[in-house]
Amino acid sequence: MSGHTQNLTLAIIKPDAFGSGKIGGVLGVLEEAGFKVRGSRVVRLDDRAAQAFYAVHSERPFFDSLVEFMTSGPCMPLALEHERAVPHLRDVIGATDPAEAKPGTVRALFAESKERNAIHASDSDDNARQELGFFFGHVDLIGAR
Ligand code: CMP
């Protein structure tokens, strides 16, 4: 099967944006883009949780630094609903490096650097399902099917 069919995806407002008071700003951009919030939490990841969440990047040179950043303060996982949620959210957050992110995207507006880049978003339907399951149980996803 090809294409994106899943109407829910996972975002995380990362510790940089959370700690600098940008939750409202980020949510405003997401809502303006048509996303409905179907789940939200505030969590402080520990090393094991951050390593597990980013296991796919474990061989990258930036892995230890990424884990240190993601455990440095609270963050806010979000379950977001939209038609074709995964590709739409990728468009709305912008490129990993804020210097390359299009104007008006979350990262152009709020990211500090390639690592401290304000927000995470799932990059495929399969990863969205897995990452939603990492943070949310079935009953947490209000109104979601
Ligand atoms: P995210 O979309 O959450 O996926 C992996 C994260 O690793 C990424 O956002 C950044 O926070 C971080 N990252 C990716 N590439 C680099 C890099 N070259 N240097 C530092 N951090 C990076």
Side-chain angles (χ1 to χ4, degrees), residues 14-124:
K14 294 186 179 183
D16 57 331
F18 193 110
S20 59
K22 304 298 192 218
I23 292 172
V26 174
L27 288 175
V29 174
L30 298 176
E31 289 191 321
E32 200 62 37
F35 284 100
K36 303 266 185 254
V37 176
R38 295 304 189 200
S40 74
R41 300 179 62 186
V42 173
V43 296
R44 174 94 187 242
L45 297 177
D46 63 11
D47 282 359
R48 280 184 62 184
Q51 285 163 358
F53 185 80
Y54 279 119
V56 66
H57 295 303
S58 62
E59 301 304 318
R60 303 287 194 96
F62 57 80
F63 183 66
D64 288 349
S65 174
L66 175 61
V67 169
E68 191 177 335
F69 163 51
M70 290 301 293
T71 58
S72 66
C75 64
M76 179 177 274
L78 300 166
L80 296 174
E81 183 181 341
H82 196 281
E83 269 179 59
R84 302 180 78 254
V86 168
H88 186 46
L89 185 60
R90 300 290 292 183
D91 283 347
V92 169
I93 71 172
T96 303
D97 184 345
E100 293 166 13
K102 290 193 187 122
T105 59
V106 173
R107 284 167 170 165
L109 289 165
F110 301 115
E112 297 171 21
S113 68
K114 209 167 183 176
E115 178 174 87
R116 299 172 63 84
N117 64 356
I119 191 165
H120 167 83
S122 307
D123 64 2
S124 68

Side-chain angles (χ1 to χ4, degrees), residues 10 12 41 43 45 53 77 130-137 140:
L10 181 93
I12 306 174
R41 300 179 62 186
V43 296
L45 297 177
F53 185 80
Q130 193 200 322
E131 293 180 359
L132 285 162
F134 190 92
F135 288 110
F136 296 104
D140 300 316

